[in-house]
Amino acid sequence: MMKAIVLSSGGIDSTTCISLAMKKYDAENVVTLSIFYGQKHNKELVCAQKIAAYYKLKHYEFNLKQILQYSNCSLLSDSTETISHKSYAEQISERKDGIVSTYVPFRNGLMLSVCASLAMSLFPNEESVIYIGAHADDTAGNAYADCSPEFNRSMSDAIRIGTYDKVTVEAPFVHMHKADIIAEGLRLQTPYHLTWSCYEGADTPCGACGTCIDRAKAFAANGVKDPALHA
């Protein structure tokens, strides 16, 4: 049986990926993985742990903070920058290259590499697939280049070659928008009440950062209340 490793951020997209993996494979063949990379808060990691417990999955955590210590990305605890309280569209319009302030240098490449190494360590004699929740909204305007279809396709090729054809990458939402992902998740009864998306680490979502804005619009498009705001 194919094994699945789901890169879990504790947010909507990755948690919906877990739902997909659980539908396709038995729980004993699915594990989740989260990365601490120096975020300003660990709320997303706590949520990822709760989500793994909800599904009764083995969960792994790794620390990449040292690798990203020289980045001044606004998401990082040592950054001199504050998190922008503007939509992604507004941020992109202010820059020619489209890069938003919350882009963490090659983060998805680093995370997928960790997943591939873990897959080969846990399942050396079996084939496995890495699920990542990258979606079309993340690549609009080149906001996050390491979420694009081209990036994920190339990383999958590289990982397959580097793991003797045993590990591949699947980005099931790479051509989908967040509202469509939530629609799929609602159908799969994804536990969105356990998820966290806000870049700030307060008790409740700020409602003003790019990911909060996108999340609110996506739930509204499905005609349902965001459980993070109506707990």
Side-chain angles (χ1 to χ4, degrees):
M1 173 65 73
M2 177 80 77
K3 305 297 184 180
I5 293 182
V6 185
L7 185 54
S8 176
S9 69
I12 285 173
D13 314 309
S14 64
T15 306
T16 310
C17 276
I18 297 173
S19 296
L20 284 177
M22 290 293 291
K23 180 182 178 182
K24 190 170 184 179
Y25 309 103
D26 294 332
E28 62 193 40
N29 296 309
V30 180
V31 301
T32 57
L33 180 153
S34 293
I35 304 287
F36 175 70
Y37 52 88
Q39 302 96 309
K40 288 180 175 175
H41 64 83
N42 70 341
K43 200 152 189 173
E44 62 187 62
L45 298 177
V46 173
C47 287
Q49 293 167 3
K50 291 179 179 178
I51 292 161
Y54 174 90
Y55 283 111
K56 297 180 173 60
L57 299 175
K58 181 73 174 178
H59 182 67
Y60 298 86
E61 289 187 4
F62 293 89
N63 189 333
L64 295 181
K65 181 178 180 180
Q66 186 177 19
I67 295 176
L68 293 163
Q69 65 181 303
Y70 302 108
S71 170
N72 199 32
C73 167
S74 63
L75 287 188
L76 304 179
S77 59
D78 295 331
S79 175
T80 60
E81 301 294 323
T82 57
I83 293 170
S84 175
H85 281 190
K86 296 180 181 179
S87 70
Y88 289 128
E90 290 177 293
Q91 294 181 57
I92 291 168
S93 69
E94 295 172 356
R95 296 182 59 114
K96 293 181 179 179
D97 55 15
I99 302 175
V100 294
S101 68
T102 47
Y103 165 75
V104 183
F106 205 64
R107 179 181 62 179
N108 284 355
L110 293 170
M111 290 181 172
L112 288 171
S113 296
V114 172
C115 288
S117 182
L118 179 65
M120 285 296 285
S121 300
L122 294 177
F123 317 118
N125 301 313
E126 299 167 278
E127 294 184 359
S128 57
V129 58
I130 301 166
Y131 278 83
I132 183 171
H135 56 85
D137 294 335
D138 283 338
T139 58
N142 203 35
Y144 296 103
D146 59 352
C147 288
S148 69
E150 296 81 5
F151 176 84
N152 283 287
R153 185 165 55 248
S154 296
M155 283 298 294
S156 185
D157 287 343
I159 286 173
R160 177 183 54 76
I161 293 168
T163 58
Y164 300 90
D165 293 326
K166 284 188 167 59
V167 186
T168 55
V169 175
E170 186 166 339
F173 309 136
V174 75
H175 296 294
M176 294 172 61
H177 296 286
K178 191 176 287 285
D180 300 319
I181 295 170
I182 288 179
E184 177 68 3
L186 292 172
R187 186 181 68 81
L188 295 170
Q189 298 183 316
T190 302
Y192 288 136
H193 64 286
L194 298 177
T195 65
W196 180 265
S197 301
C198 182
Y199 288 141
E200 305 284 3
D203 292 335
T204 57
C206 72
C209 66
T211 190
C212 271
I213 293 170
D214 276 6
R215 177 174 174 137
K217 289 180 178 178
F219 272 106
N222 282 281
V224 297
K225 295 180 178 180
D226 180 351
L229 300 175
H230 302 85

